[in-house]
Amino acid sequence: MSAASTNRQKTNTFRLLAPGVVWMILFLVAPIMMIVYVSFWTQTTFAINSTLTLDSWRNFFASEAYVGALWTTIRLWLIVLTLTFVIGYPAALYVGLLVKSKTVSTVLLVLCVIPFWTSFLIRVLAWRPMLGKEGAINIILQKVGLIDTPIEVLLFSELSVIIGMTQIYVVFMVGPIAFMLGRIDRNIIEAARDLGAGFGRIFWKIIFPLSLPGVVVGAIFVSVMVLGEFATSGALSGRKVNLLGNIIVTQVGSLKWAMASVVGVILTILLGIVVAGFLRIVDLKREI
Amino acid sequence: MTQSDPIFRLEGVTRRYGNLTALDGIDFVAEDNSYIALLGPSGSGKTSLLRVIAGFETPDKGRIWFQGRDITDLPAHERGIGFVFQNFALFPHLTIFENVAFGLRHGATKVPDAEITDRVRASIDMVGLSGLEDRNPDQISGGQKQRVALARSLVMQPKLVLLDEPLGALDANLRERMQTELRAIRERLDVTFLHVTGSETEALAMGDRVAVLDAGRIIQHGTPDSIYDSPAVSDVAQFLNRFNMFEGSLKDGMFHGAFGAVSVASARPNDTDVYAIRYDRTRIFDADASDLPGPALPVRYLASEYLGSSIIFLFETADHKTVEVDHHLSLGEPRDLTVGQNYVLSWDPAQAIVFGKESAR
Amino acid sequence: MESKVLKPILAVYVGLFILFLYGPFIVLGILSFQQGPEGGPQFPILSWSTYWYQHLFGLTPPSRIAPLPVGEALVRSLTLAFMTMVTATVLGVMAAQAFRKRFRGAGVVFYLIVLGMMVPGVLTGLGTSLLANNVVGIERHWWSTAFLAHVVYTFPFAFLVMLAILNRFDGSVEEASWSLGVSPITTFRKVTFPLIFPGVLSAMLFAFTLSFDEFPRTLFASGRDQTLPLAIYGTFSVEIHPNIFAFGVMTTLFSFALLSVYGILMGLSVRRAKKMAMQEDIA
Amino acid sequence: MAYDLQLTNVYKTYDNGTPAVIDFNLDVEKGEFIAFLGPSGCGKSTTLRMISGFETVTSGDLMIRGKRVNDQLPEKRPTSMIFQNYALFPHMNVRQNVLFGLEVKNMPRAEANRKVDQILDKLGLSGIAEMPTARLSGGQRQRIALARSLVVEPDILLLDEPLGALDANLRKSIQNELKLLQRDLGITFVFVTHAQSEALALSDRIVVMNAGRIEQVSPPRELYTRPSSQFVARFIGSNTILPGTVKAREDGNVILETAFGILGGANRAGIDAHDGREMSIILPAEAVDLVPADVPEDEMRANFGSNTIPCTIERLQIVGHIMHMIVSFVDGRKINVEGHVDKYRDRLKAGGRAFVAWKSANATVIDH
C-alpha cells in the first residue's frame, strides 16, 4: 500500500478511537489501578496515608465476617446464575424460536424488557410487599388454604435476596439467548427433521449448541451484576446477607478506604476469573 | 487527447491481503471509448483490480494512470471514475431523482439547481426510467435499480465507468436485455466501460476487448473472437468452459493422448502438455465407424442436456473423464444415441488447439 | 418437532414467567393507592386513596412523613442523563466507525471499551472516588466525577449498538458516494449518518436510561447533591412509606413516555416507507 | 404401477384462504429427474414442501412408493431435501454434518463411518472431511448438502433451487455433476427452479407451473418444440409468435393466413385445425434460418415453400460459436434468430436485407 494513503487511514482510525480510549484509560483503568494501590495503604482511624503495608489484607483474611462475605457472594452468584438460566432458557426458547410470528416474538421481548424502565431500586423495593409476612404471596397462599401461618422466611432472608435477584436479572439471560435462537436459520432445523431427527435430538445437537454464545453472554451479564451487587441484598435481607459489595459500601461509609480497596481488589480478581472463564467458551467480539 | 490514447494504464499493480496476493504485477492499457470486459473466475482478483482503479483500495506496488495523470495516491472522490456496484448500492433514503442528483449536489464543484434538474432528467430519460423519479429504491425492480445505478454514474459525465458484475444480481431473462442495453448506452456516450464478470458468455458478448484474469495476472487480452478461437494458454481454454481438454505428452510434433497419437502442426507455450478441442467441433460416430476425420476417442454415452438451442451430449472415456459434445440445433436434428452404448468421438485435427512445453515450431 | 405438545406448555410457562416479572409491580401499583397517612407499605389496604400521589407533589397537609426529596434530584438526574447520552453516543459512534477497518490492537481496544460495562458499579465508583479524593484532590460532584463514571458505563453500550448496526451496514453506498466525487466528510453527513440514525437513536436511548437509573457508581462518585436514585436509596435506610410506591408508578409512566417518543421516532420512518409502498400497491 | 411419487388432485390453500396449488396431478416413475419450473409465486416451492412434509396438503392424495403420506411427519418420510442455502449445520464439520442422519437412525458407529467415508469419497469431499463448513465455497457446500441427504438413502431427493446460490461459471460444471450423479444413483430427483436453462438441461420431464396450476408436463425438447399454451411459449426459449387464421392442412402441418402472408407450422398437439380457427405459429429462434436477400428465389422456395418473411438485419453479434441476430419485420417488430457461426459467418451484414425462413416441420402451431 502506498505510504501516503496508509498513513491517512491510520490517522483516521486513531482520531476516531483516541477520545474513547483515553476516556476509558483515565476513568476506568486508572481508577481500578488506584484501588489496587490504595489496598496497600496504611489506614488510621479517620485517614489513610500512602505508606505501603499489608495490614488491610491481613485484616481481611483474619476476619471471619469478611471471608464469610466472599463465600456468600460466590454462593449467591452460583445460585442466581443457575436459576436465571433454568428459568430463562425455556422462556427464551419460546420467544426466540417457537413463536413463528415476528410480531408476537417482538411483543413478548418488549414485555420482558419494559420493567427495566422503572428504577432499579424501586424494582427491588417492590419485593417487600410481595414477600413480607403480610405480603401478597402469604395472603394468597393463606386464602387458597395451602398454609395456616404466614411463611416468615420469605422476607429478610437469603431466599428473598435470591428471589429478588433472579427476577431482576433473569431478563439479561433471556435476551441474549432469545437473540441467538432467533438467528438460527429455520432451514437448518427443517434439514435436521428431514434427516429423521426428533425434537430431543434437534434440541441437544442443533438448537442448544447454536444458542450457547447467547447463554455465555447472558451468564456474563448476570455474573457481573450479581457479583457487584449490594442494593438488593441490603434492601431485602435486612442486613442478614452481606456480600462483598455491602462491605465496600460500609467501609467507604466509615471512611475505611484501604479495607474497601482490599475488598474491591478481591472482587475484581473474582470477576476476572469468572469472565475470562466464560470468554474461553465464546469469542464475544465475533458474535456481535 | 486523441482517439488512440489510453484512457487508463496500469503499471505493475500489486495488491496483497496478508499472505494472499490478489493482484500480481498487473500491466494493462485500455483504449479510450471502448467496452472492456474483464473475465475471471471467483478469486482471480478481478474485483480487487476494479476497486484499486476506483481508489477504494490502494495498491501495495505499481502506478495507476488515468487520462495521462498518475492517480495512484488520489482518494476515490477526486478521481472522477464512475462505479456501478453488483448490489447497485442505491441510497435507500433518497428518491430515484435524488439518487441520480447526489453527485451533482454534493460534489466538489457547485452545480446550479436548474442544471442539476436538467442533467438528472436527461440521465433518467436515457436509461428509460422517466416517470419513476419520485419513487424510492425499494419500490423498483432489480433491472430498474441497475439503470438508476448507471444513470447516477453517467450523470457525472465520467470518462471511465467501472462495472462490478453489474448483471450478477439480475435473473437470466433480464440479464440478456441489459447486456444489449448497456452496450447501446455506452455507444451513445464517449465513455469507456470496464465490466468485470465471471461469466464467459457475458464477457464474450459484451466486450469490444476481453481481458482474462487468473490468479492476479492478466493471462490474455484481445478481441472476443481471438480469445474464443485461440486461447493463449490452457487456463484460458479451461475457463471458457467450451473445450474438451486432454492431458498427454507432446513430443517431436506428435501429441500422445487417450485418443492415440496425432501429429501437431503448432503448439502454444504452456506449463503442461494439453490438447484441446471445442465441444462444438467434436463429432460423434458409431463405435465401428471407419471414415473418421481425425483421431478416435472411444467413449460411452452417459446423458444429454438440452439447452434449448443446442444439446450437450455427455460421454465418459475409459479413464472416467467426462467429455462433452455440443450440437447446435440450427445445424439440424442430432442423431439418436443410446445410454450406456459405446461410440467414438472424432474431430478435424486442424481445429484442435495444442498447448505444450515443447512449443517451438 | 413435537411442538404440538411443547409449544402450548411453553406458552403457559411464558405467561407465568411474565407474571413473575410483573408480580411485584402489580402489588406495588395496588399499594400505591393505600390510605394515607396512616396506611403502611403492606397489605391490607385500609381504604383506596390517591393520598400518596398528592403527597408526592406536596399537595397534602404536612404530616410526620416527609415528602420525598425528588424535585431537584429529578432535574439533576435528567441533566446528567442528557450529558451522558450525548457524550457516550458520540464516543460510541466514533469508536464503532473506527472498528469498520481492521487495525492492529483491535482486540485490546474492544475489550478495553467493553470493560466499562463489565466492571461492577461499586468498583468504578470506588476507584473514581479514590482517584478524585487522594490523587487529584478534587471534590466529587454529580456533574463531574459521577458524569465521568456514567460515560464509562454507557459508552460501551452505545459502542456495541453502533457496532451491531455498522456490521450490517453495507459500505458500498459510501463507496458509491465517493465515486460520484463526494468527499468522505459529506458522504458521512449525507449517506452514512442518515442510514445509521435508527441505531444512533437506540444508542442514545440506552445511554440515557442507563444513566438516569444509575446508582452504585453515583453513590460513590457524586458528592453531596443527590440524583434521583440516590434520593430513593436514602429512604431505604429509614422506614419506607407508600409514597415511594406512588413514585415508582410515576417513574414507570415517565419511562413509558420516553419509550413512546423513541417508538414514534423509530416508527415514523418505517411508516413512511410502508405508506409509500401501499400507495404503490393501489396504483 | 410402480410410481415413486404420485400427487393426485392435490390442493394447497393457505390459512388466510389464498390458494397456492390447484389440482396438482403428477405421477413420477422411479429414477426420473423432474423439474418444477415457473415464475416466482407459481406454487412450485409449496408443492416441493408438501412432498417433503413441511407444508400440509389441504386436499388430495400424496403417495410415496404407493403409500399415502399426507399425514406423515417430515422426519418419517423417505424423502430428503437440499435447501437453497444448503442449511448445513454451522457448528459441525463436514463429516459431522454427513454423519448426523445416520446417528439419528442409531446406526452402529463403524458402519456409519464407513458409509460416510464412502459418500464423501464419491462426492470428492474426503480431503475436507474435518473442515468446518463455514469457510467452504458454494460448490463444496452444495456437495456436502448432497452427501448429507444421500447418505440416508432416501427414496426421493428434493432440491430447492439447487444451483441458485452458485456463481455463474460454477453453475455449469455443478449442473453436469448433478445430472451424472442422478443417473448413477438411479434415485428420483425432484427439483424446483425458476431458470429454464437449468430445467431444460437437467430434467427428464418438466412441470411448468403458473399461478398454482400445472401448465404443461413434458420432456424438455417436447416442451421447447411443442408448447401447449401461449404462456409456455413465452416462458420457454426465445420464440416468435405469429397469429393467424387456419386456411388449410397438409401432411400434419397447418397453413395459416397471417399478416406476413401464408405461413405453415406442424400441428404437433393434434389440434382440430378447422378452417377459420384462430391459431398462432411458434418460431423458435434457432429453428428458423436467416437467408440473405441475394439467394435466388426459386432456391428459397424449394427449401422453405412460402414460409419466408422479408426482414432487415438490425444487429449481428457473435458470442463464442453462436451468432445472435436481431432482425426487424416491416411492421417494426424485432425478433431473435440464432445459429452456429459456421452456418452464418461472412454471409450476413448488419443493415442488410434478408428473409426469415423455415420448414413447416420446424415450427409449431398452437391455439391462439
Side-chain angles (χ1 to χ4, degrees):
Chain A
M1 205 184 290
S2 80
S5 59
T6 312
N7 284 341
R8 200 187 314 138
Q9 189 189 314
K10 274 190 182 161
T11 331
N12 200 18
T13 305
F14 179 78
R15 275 190 200 143
L16 287 170
L17 278 178
V21 168
V22 168
W23 195 290
M24 292 317 244
I25 288 173
L26 285 185
F27 308 126
L28 177 66
V29 178
I32 290 171
M33 293 299 148
M34 192 64 198
I35 299 177
V36 179
Y37 183 37
V38 172
S39 75
F40 296 104
W41 284 13
T42 309
Q43 178 86 52
T44 56
T45 318
F46 292 113
I48 46 170
N49 62 64
S50 56
T51 320
L52 297 182
T53 167
L54 282 173
D55 282 353
S56 302
W57 283 92
R58 271 190 221 107
N59 288 344
F60 179 88
F61 285 106
S63 155
E64 218 167 283
Y66 293 163
V67 177
L70 175 59
W71 295 129
T72 312
T73 307
I74 293 176
R75 187 174 66 243
L76 271 186
W77 160 62
L78 283 175
I79 293 172
V80 173
L81 184 62
T82 314
L83 282 177
T84 48
F85 172 69
V86 170
I87 294 176
Y89 201 97
L93 186 64
Y94 185 78
V95 173
L97 195 74
L98 294 186
V99 174
K100 284 218 179 70
S101 141
K102 258 263 167 298
T103 329
V104 176
S105 146
T106 314
V107 166
L108 285 175
L109 267 183
V110 169
L111 264 182
C112 290
V113 175
I114 277 177
F116 282 84
W117 271 274
T118 300
S119 164
F120 162 75
L121 292 163
I122 289 176
R123 267 182 290 146
V124 173
L125 210 58
W127 275 105
R128 284 213 199 161
M130 193 77 180
L131 297 173
K133 214 170 132 192
E134 287 144 23
I137 290 181
N138 271 323
I139 291 175
I140 291 170
L141 289 180
Q142 279 172 303
K143 281 245 167 82
V144 176
L146 277 173
I147 50 169
D148 299 326
T149 47
I151 309 171
E152 295 205 20
V153 72
L154 277 182
L155 188 58
F156 298 131
S157 66
E158 195 169 302
L159 182 63
S160 54
V161 178
I162 291 171
I163 294 176
M165 284 192 183
T166 306
Q167 185 243 9
I168 289 167
Y169 297 127
V170 69
V171 173
F172 290 94
M173 191 61 101
V174 173
I177 297 174
F179 176 74
M180 286 310 292
L181 287 171
R183 278 214 313 204
I184 296 177
D185 176 3
R186 301 302 148 111
N187 283 348
I188 286 173
I189 293 171
E190 287 186 345
R193 287 187 74 185
D194 199 50
L195 292 167
F199 181 77
R201 190 181 292 269
I202 293 178
F203 180 80
W204 288 113
K205 292 282 178 178
I206 314 278
I207 297 175
F208 188 71
L210 288 176
S211 70
L212 204 57
V215 175
V216 168
V217 170
I220 290 177
F221 276 139
V222 172
S223 302
V224 164
M225 285 179 287
V226 170
L227 287 172
E229 256 280 19
F230 61 93
T232 311
S233 49
L236 295 182
S237 81
R239 313 244 159 134
K240 277 184 215 137
V241 175
N242 271 313
L243 304 179
L244 291 178
N246 296 89
I247 295 183
I248 296 179
V249 174
T250 343
Q251 295 297 320
V252 169
S254 49
L255 298 178
K256 299 273 193 287
W257 294 102
M259 181 51 82
S261 299
V262 170
V263 182
V265 174
I266 288 171
L267 184 52
T268 311
I269 293 169
L270 182 59
L271 252 164
I273 294 169
V274 169
V275 172
F278 280 127
L279 285 181
R280 287 186 80 89
I281 307 179
V282 288
D283 180 1
L284 192 59
K285 187 161 168 273
R286 223 187 38 204
E287 296 302 332
I288 289 169
Chain B
M1 193 184 281
T2 63
Q3 193 63 20
S4 59
D5 275 340
I7 179 85
F8 76 95
R9 189 152 58 82
L10 306 177
E11 266 177 27
V13 168
T14 300
R15 176 81 171 102
R16 293 190 195 89
Y17 303 97
N19 292 329
L20 190 92
T21 303
L23 302 174
D24 190 4
I26 289 192
D27 295 310
F28 188 78
V29 178
E31 306 87 62
D32 195 14
N33 198 7
S34 61
Y35 202 123
I36 305 159
L38 187 64
L39 173 65
S42 54
S44 61
K46 54 189 195 297
T47 297
S48 295
L49 183 59
L50 222 54
R51 294 175 59 80
V52 160
I53 299 170
F56 302 147
E57 286 175 29
T58 22
D60 296 296
K61 249 196 285 177
R63 309 306 296 172
I64 303 161
W65 300 77
F66 175 55
Q67 296 186 301
R69 180 168 159 226
D70 182 346
I71 58 162
T72 318
D73 291 320
L74 222 53
H77 66 279
E78 289 170 23
R79 292 194 180 191
I81 296 175
F83 201 105
V84 175
F85 292 81
Q86 177 171 16
N87 65 356
F88 319 128
L90 300 185
F91 305 124
H93 58 306
L94 301 177
T95 60
I96 302 310
F97 185 93
E98 285 305 321
N99 259 281
V100 179
F102 190 85
L104 298 173
R105 272 204 212 298
H106 304 299
T109 40
K110 282 278 153 279
V111 183
D113 272 3
E115 191 190 332
I116 291 181
T117 311
D118 288 350
R119 279 170 68 178
V120 170
R121 288 206 187 281
S123 191
I124 289 178
D125 188 49
M126 181 184 60
V127 297
L129 289 182
S130 295
L132 300 183
E133 287 89 345
D134 294 328
R135 298 227 188 155
N136 279 352
D138 57 356
Q139 296 168 336
I140 58 175
S141 69
Q144 291 171 330
K145 283 181 191 166
Q146 176 68 76
R147 286 161 219 247
V148 176
L150 199 63
R152 185 175 69 175
S153 277
L154 294 175
V155 79
M156 302 305 292
Q157 297 166 348
K159 283 283 159 212
L160 172 63
V161 176
L162 310 171
L163 304 101
D164 186 11
E165 306 234 18
L167 309 179
L170 306 179
D171 71 28
N173 299 334
L174 200 55
R175 212 174 293 163
E176 236 160 79
R177 273 231 316 276
M178 277 311 292
Q179 279 186 11
T180 325
E181 221 164 294
L182 273 178
R183 280 188 64 98
I185 287 171
R186 195 208 69 77
E187 275 163 21
R188 257 182 281 154
L189 307 163
D190 174 23
V191 53
T192 296
F193 276 12
L194 178 60
H195 173 138
V196 150
T197 174
S199 149
E200 65 280 1
T201 24
E202 198 173 300
L204 295 171
M206 304 202 62
D208 299 325
R209 312 272 296 167
V210 176
V212 185
L213 196 67
D214 185 44
R217 293 161 176 278
I218 289 178
I219 50 176
Q220 191 169 2
H221 180 203
T223 61
D225 266 3
S226 72
I227 303 263
Y228 195 76
D229 291 335
S230 94
V233 288
S234 65
D235 283 342
V236 174
Q238 180 76 52
F239 187 57
L240 288 173
N241 239 334
R242 297 293 312 172
F243 287 85
N244 289 310
M245 319 247 310
F246 302 97
E247 284 161 19
S249 64
L250 178 63
K251 238 185 241 125
D252 306 325
M254 294 292 282
F255 193 95
H256 304 264
F259 41 78
V262 200
S263 89
V264 171
S266 73
R268 290 144 207 247
N270 202 50
D271 296 340
T272 50
D273 294 344
V274 178
Y275 190 93
I277 179 77
R278 240 161 63 188
Y279 297 158
D280 61 306
R281 304 280 191 215
T282 312
R283 290 162 59 198
I284 307 160
F285 298 87
D286 287 328
D288 53 3
S290 52
D291 54 344
L292 301 178
L297 180 68
V299 288
R300 195 167 65 88
Y301 173 53
L302 294 176
S304 68
E305 289 180 359
Y306 185 53
L307 302 184
S309 55
S310 60
I311 297 180
I312 300 267
F313 297 97
L314 299 172
F315 297 89
E316 186 185 45
T317 62
D319 50 352
H320 302 293
K321 183 181 153 54
T322 308
V323 179
E324 297 182 35
V325 176
D326 178 319
H327 176 86
H328 197 270
L329 290 167
S330 67
L331 300 174
E333 283 297 298
R335 55 177 297 172
D336 279 326
L337 302 176
T338 316
V339 172
Q341 193 131 333
N342 291 326
Y343 294 90
V344 164
L345 301 184
S346 187
W347 53 86
D348 175 1
Q351 292 176 329
I353 297 170
V354 184
F355 305 94
K357 292 189 286 267
E358 179 193 299
S359 62
R361 226 166 272 268
Chain C
M1 223 190 298
E2 281 132 84
S3 55
K4 281 201 182 93
V5 191
L6 191 71
K7 230 177 125 173
I9 292 178
L10 276 178
V12 172
Y13 177 84
V14 168
L16 291 173
F17 177 77
I18 286 175
L19 190 68
F20 172 57
L21 291 184
Y22 281 83
F25 280 104
I26 298 167
V27 172
L28 180 128
I30 295 171
L31 283 174
S32 70
F33 293 100
Q34 177 71 288
Q35 189 199 59
E38 307 82 18
Q42 70 265 324
F43 290 104
I45 298 274
L46 303 176
S47 73
W48 301 97
S49 82
T50 53
Y51 175 86
W52 295 109
Y53 287 91
Q54 299 170 28
H55 185 270
L56 214 56
F57 294 101
L59 300 175
T60 53
S63 67
R64 65 175 182 90
I65 298 155
L68 282 179
V70 292
E72 283 183 29
L74 179 66
V75 175
R76 282 186 211 113
S77 275
L78 286 174
T79 317
L80 177 58
F82 184 77
M83 286 161 60
T84 306
M85 172 183 87
V86 172
T87 316
T89 309
V90 169
L91 290 179
V93 171
M94 283 169 71
Q97 180 77 9
F99 266 83
R100 293 176 61 191
K101 292 220 177 68
R102 273 196 252 163
F103 59 92
R104 272 163 52 127
V108 178
V109 175
F110 177 82
Y111 281 112
L112 175 70
I113 297 173
V114 171
L115 201 63
M117 61 193 274
M118 297 265 217
V119 174
V122 254
L123 290 176
T124 335
L126 174 65
T128 309
S129 58
L130 283 175
L131 210 58
N133 265 11
N134 300 311
V135 179
V136 192
I138 52 161
E139 250 186 81
R140 288 165 285 159
H141 291 289
W142 59 270
W143 47 264
S144 60
T145 37
F147 165 65
L148 298 178
H150 275 213
V151 173
V152 165
Y153 176 47
T154 53
F155 161 41
F157 284 93
F159 167 69
L160 289 183
V161 170
M162 291 319 300
L163 206 60
I165 296 285
L166 287 173
N167 263 356
R168 253 171 288 153
F169 180 75
D170 177 8
S172 62
V173 288
E174 292 174 323
E175 290 172 346
S177 172
W178 303 336
S179 77
L180 295 171
V182 179
S183 70
I185 291 170
T186 315
T187 298
F188 184 82
R189 266 185 27 228
K190 294 287 173 188
V191 177
T192 318
F193 192 77
L195 292 179
I196 62 173
F197 186 68
V200 176
L201 214 56
S202 305
M204 283 164 66
L205 181 77
F206 255 104
F208 188 90
T209 49
L210 286 172
S211 165
F212 186 71
D213 194 27
E214 212 297 323
F215 160 62
R217 289 165 188 80
T218 331
L219 178 67
F220 290 94
S222 77
R224 208 173 312 273
D225 298 333
Q226 289 186 327
T227 61
L228 198 57
L230 290 185
I232 298 168
Y233 185 64
T235 63
F236 272 36
S237 43
V238 281
E239 202 186 348
I240 62 165
H241 300 284
N243 59 349
I244 205 160
F245 294 166
F247 182 68
V249 173
M250 296 298 296
T251 50
T252 310
L253 291 179
F254 172 74
S255 304
F256 277 146
L258 197 70
L259 259 182
S260 311
V261 170
Y262 167 81
I264 289 166
L265 283 179
M266 284 293 269
L268 267 181
S269 51
V270 178
R271 202 164 313 147
R272 217 186 85 222
K274 264 201 188 134
K275 208 171 95 194
M276 292 177 80
M278 256 164 63
Q279 284 170 347
E280 208 56 30
D281 285 345
I282 296 162
Chain D
M1 251 326 249
Y3 288 119
D4 244 20
L5 174 69
Q6 281 175 284
L7 293 104
T8 315
N9 308 118
V10 167
Y11 283 78
K12 171 72 189 179
T13 310
Y14 286 124
D15 291 342
N16 61 11
T18 359
V21 175
I22 301 157
D23 197 18
F24 195 101
N25 285 286
L26 183 70
D27 295 333
V28 180
E29 276 179 56
K30 183 170 170 8
E32 265 196 290
F33 203 141
I34 298 284
F36 293 170
L37 174 67
S40 59
C42 70
K44 56 191 194 297
S45 289
T46 311
T47 310
L48 195 75
R49 288 177 62 81
M50 282 195 283
I51 300 171
S52 67
F54 293 120
E55 296 281 357
T56 54
V57 175
T58 308
S59 71
D61 291 319
L62 177 62
M63 318 263 279
I64 296 176
R65 300 236 162 135
K67 198 170 144 247
R68 192 172 184 272
V69 295
N70 285 38
D71 301 317
Q72 210 168 47
L73 290 172
E75 50 265 44
K76 306 287 181 206
R77 290 192 194 184
T79 58
S80 196
M81 179 125 157
I82 306 287
F83 293 85
Q84 183 172 7
N85 62 3
Y86 311 137
L88 301 181
F89 306 130
H91 56 303
M92 299 182 188
N93 69 21
V94 176
R95 171 182 294 281
Q96 288 163 337
N97 261 283
V98 180
L99 198 58
F100 185 84
L102 298 179
E103 282 177 342
V104 167
K105 290 184 167 172
N106 294 319
M107 185 179 280
R109 199 57 172 199
E111 194 190 340
N113 276 327
R114 198 171 42 78
K115 279 192 176 264
V116 170
D117 286 337
Q118 244 171 26
I119 195 86
L120 289 178
D121 190 50
K122 187 175 189 75
L123 290 171
L125 295 167
S126 302
I128 56 166
E130 311 304 326
M131 299 245 285
T133 54
R135 269 179 288 147
L136 300 175
S137 70
Q140 286 169 323
R141 292 170 66 81
Q142 200 217 27
R143 265 181 293 201
I144 298 164
L146 274 170
R148 188 178 66 177
S149 284
L150 292 174
V151 80
V152 297
E153 295 170 358
D155 291 349
I156 301 170
L157 191 72
L158 307 170
L159 305 98
D160 186 7
E161 302 258 1
L163 306 175
L166 302 173
D167 68 22
N169 60 330
L170 199 60
R171 215 169 287 172
K172 180 149 185 302
S173 62
I174 299 272
Q175 194 169 297
N176 286 355
E177 261 176 56
L178 207 58
K179 175 93 180 182
L180 294 176
L181 185 72
Q182 193 266 347
R183 283 282 175 273
D184 188 29
L185 295 167
I187 298 179
T188 305
F189 277 31
V190 179
F191 85 111
V192 152
T193 180
H194 70 270
Q196 55 147 314
S197 61
E198 270 170 43
L200 290 171
L202 285 170
S203 53
D204 297 320
R205 280 194 296 161
I206 298 175
V207 179
V208 182
M209 292 184 71
N210 181 30
R213 287 176 197 278
I214 293 183
E215 285 275 344
Q216 186 170 357
V217 182
S218 298
R221 281 217 70 184
E222 197 179 305
L223 194 67
Y224 205 86
T225 52
R226 203 185 302 172
S228 69
S229 66
Q230 295 261 343
F231 173 82
V232 177
R234 284 177 209 282
F235 191 70
I236 305 280
S238 178
N239 290 317
T240 301
I241 302 174
L242 302 172
T245 343
V246 177
K247 255 197 116 210
R249 291 148 299 277
E250 56 182 34
D251 315 332
N253 297 331
V254 176
I255 312 298
L256 302 186
E257 164 120 56
T258 73
F260 298 100
I262 307 296
L263 306 172
N267 185 1
R268 292 186 226 253
I271 301 166
D272 167 30
H274 55 80
D275 280 4
R277 184 167 183 150
E278 303 262 303
M279 294 184 85
S280 293
I281 298 181
I282 309 294
L283 300 175
E286 70 291 332
V288 296
D289 281 28
L290 196 60
V291 186
D294 55 14
V295 169
E297 188 167 345
D298 48 335
E299 188 187 314
M300 211 159 69
R301 201 154 279 286
N303 278 330
F304 305 109
S306 69
N307 296 333
T308 58
I309 303 175
C311 64
T312 309
I313 302 173
E314 294 285 332
R315 193 177 163 83
L316 296 172
Q317 191 185 11
I318 298 173
V319 179
H321 63 285
I322 296 171
M323 173 92 90
H324 292 277
M325 299 154 273
I326 298 175
V327 301
S328 60
F329 290 157
V330 281
D331 62 354
R333 180 168 171 188
K334 289 194 168 99
I335 75 157
N336 292 310
V337 178
E338 77 164 82
H340 197 280
V341 268
D342 289 359
K343 187 170 163 185
Y344 290 108
R345 201 195 295 265
D346 303 329
R347 290 185 61 205
L348 302 166
K349 65 171 192 290
R353 302 198 50 78
F355 290 92
V356 169
W358 66 95
K359 293 187 166 70
S360 290
N362 289 340
T364 311
V365 290
I366 62 166
D367 254 328
H368 186 58

